Amino acid sequence: MHTRILQINEDSLNESKDIILNGGAVAFPTETVYGLGANAFDGSAVENIFKIKGRPCDNPLIVHVHNDYDISNLVSYVPEYAKLLAKAYLPGPLTMVYKSKGKVSPAVSCGLDTLAIRVPSHKGAQEFLKHIGLPVAAPSANVSKHVSPVTAEHVFSDLNGKIEIILDGGKCVGGIESTVVDCTSDIPVILRSGLITREMIACVAGDCGEYSLKEGESARSPGMKYKHYSPLCETMLFDFCDRKKAEKKYEECIAAGVNAYILCDGATANSIKAKKILNLGESEAEIASNLYFKLREGEKKAELIIAISPEKQDGVMAGVMNRLTKACKN
Ligand code: AMP
Ligand code: MG
């Protein structure tokens, strides 16, 4: 199959619609990362997404809908706090999990009785979803366990020959996947951290829990248990307080002829002597936005990425730390 990267216009949207209505998959931009979308009502189209990515068959997909879409078609109960969250943060990088009405293919939620729904704010994503006119099941458009794609070229390098079309919406601004929040309990519970922070959710909903997987328990959000976001080269992660050790490791590597790069935020980059640096930038938004971009740049030019955690670890940085830790896990 020949894979084309297309600008978003009437022709490419019409072609995307044909592909999706015929059971195929199309990659499209969102404000977080690129998604790989299929018709959520079509079981074999959804199963095909798992095959294309090599995604474990128990890791459910998020359904993406247009801003005007009435989600009561798909889910049976929307608690009051969820309505407030939707009003405050949608469209945007927040995925909400509800009790499913079972209208979409069971393959979407891998047999769970819940459904994760997201309304992306990216203009291209909204145009795509409006044109398709159906709920679109979409995971990130990368090979499973690899770093999520934040440019059309990233999608191409992972899925070339496996899909027909990549809609090009430029570099994703958000840079890490959506916050996933479970809305089936009395209070919202974060299943995956992201740009909509726990503080932002608690501020609107009054309270917000955070789920963590316990030893021996079956995962409430199955995706959490998998290795994720990993670059193709070797990686190491040092705590912020161990940044001197990271620098020493870098110097030893360079002396031994190992092509190592340090990945860190801008302030840390300015405080160390290393020459080969993957600089994530200064602000929290920049750091999140650049994380996958720099991990993908790093895997191309480095044998080893030596990452240093940011000093701050709450708010948006909780999402960054979650991805960085998983990316560097052996
Ligand atoms: P990705 O498609 O790679 O962004 O991953 C989607 C994330 O959403 C994974 O962590 C899934 O476990 C989570 N997810 C999707 N559907 C559900 C659901 N029905 N219940 C809980 N988590 C979900
Ligand atoms: Mg993913």
Side-chain angles (χ1 to χ4, degrees):
M1 191 184 290
H2 176 56
T3 303
R4 288 164 295 142
I5 297 180
L6 301 177
Q7 293 306 307
I8 302 175
N9 55 37
E10 210 178 320
D11 287 347
S12 62
L13 289 173
N14 284 338
E15 207 179 328
S16 300
K17 186 170 182 176
D18 280 350
I19 291 170
I20 297 231
L21 294 184
N22 283 303
V26 170
F28 64 101
T30 78
E31 71 279 18
T32 58
V33 303
Y34 274 72
L36 179 64
N39 178 356
F41 294 121
D42 180 341
S44 72
V46 174
E47 278 161 19
N48 195 32
I49 295 257
F50 285 84
K51 283 193 205 120
I52 292 171
K53 282 183 56 105
R55 183 175 175 102
C57 58
D58 65 348
N59 188 5
L61 306 184
I62 295 168
V63 163
H64 293 62
V65 295
H66 182 263
N67 197 28
D68 296 337
Y69 190 82
D70 179 2
I71 64 160
S72 69
N73 290 323
L74 302 180
V75 299
S76 56
Y77 175 62
V78 178
E80 245 357 270
Y81 69 77
K83 290 179 189 158
L84 295 174
L85 288 174
K87 194 159 178 241
Y89 300 123
L90 299 187
L94 179 66
T95 295
M96 300 166 82
V97 175
Y98 300 105
K99 282 279 170 223
S100 177
K101 274 189 173 168
K103 301 279 186 206
V104 300
S105 160
V108 172
S109 292
C110 304
L112 297 174
D113 62 359
T114 52
L115 186 65
I117 300 191
R118 168 155 145 68
V119 187
S121 61
H122 189 286
K123 187 169 166 281
Q126 281 291 317
E127 281 171 358
F128 169 73
L129 292 166
K130 186 163 189 137
H131 209 81
I132 304 298
L134 287 168
V136 168
S140 50
N142 52 288
V143 167
S144 187
K145 301 183 180 61
H146 191 206
V147 181
S148 298
V150 293
T151 66
E153 290 72 24
H154 291 163
V155 181
F156 187 85
S157 82
D158 274 29
L159 301 183
N160 181 20
K162 295 183 175 172
I163 56 174
E164 280 180 61
I165 288 184
I166 301 165
L167 294 175
D168 189 351
K171 183 174 177 247
C172 304
V173 176
I176 58 172
E177 298 83 352
S178 60
T179 305
V180 178
V181 64
D182 186 331
C183 297
T184 62
S185 313
D186 295 344
I187 61 162
V189 176
I190 291 184
L191 302 178
R192 177 175 74 185
S193 50
L195 296 174
I196 305 292
T197 64
R198 186 177 183 173
E199 295 76 13
M200 289 163 77
I201 292 173
C203 165
V204 169
D207 202 355
C208 179
E210 190 151 14
Y211 178 74
S212 63
L213 183 59
K214 291 176 195 71
E215 195 78 35
E217 195 184 67
S218 72
R220 194 154 149 193
S221 182
M224 296 169 77
K225 65 179 186 247
Y226 290 109
K227 183 176 161 71
H228 256 109
Y229 325 119
S230 298
L232 301 172
C233 64
E234 294 289 314
T235 51
M236 296 177 96
L237 177 61
F238 286 84
D239 285 340
F240 180 76
C241 59
D242 288 332
R243 58 199 182 285
K244 287 279 166 228
K245 287 187 195 155
E247 213 176 347
K248 187 158 176 280
K249 178 75 196 172
Y250 166 85
E251 278 156 16
E252 285 167 5
C253 286
I254 297 297
V258 176
N259 187 21
Y261 275 72
I262 289 194
L263 176 110
C264 61
D265 61 46
T268 307
N270 290 335
S271 74
I272 60 178
K273 287 191 221 78
K275 290 212 167 55
K276 295 183 180 188
I277 291 195
L278 298 159
N279 188 335
L280 295 170
E282 308 291 333
S283 68
E284 293 186 18
E286 263 182 290
I287 293 169
S289 176
N290 288 328
L291 181 67
Y292 291 151
F293 193 83
K294 289 291 173 183
L295 284 171
R296 283 207 177 231
E297 184 184 323
E299 71 178 6
K300 279 198 176 153
K301 51 190 194 191
E303 281 171 84
L304 170 67
I305 297 176
I306 301 171
I308 302 175
S309 301
E311 184 174 16
K312 188 170 177 292
Q313 309 226 329
D314 58 352
V316 170
M317 289 299 111
V320 168
M321 274 311 295
N322 165 277
R323 308 315 191 273
L324 193 55
T325 310
K326 286 190 172 177
C328 298
K329 198 156 84 181
N330 292 312

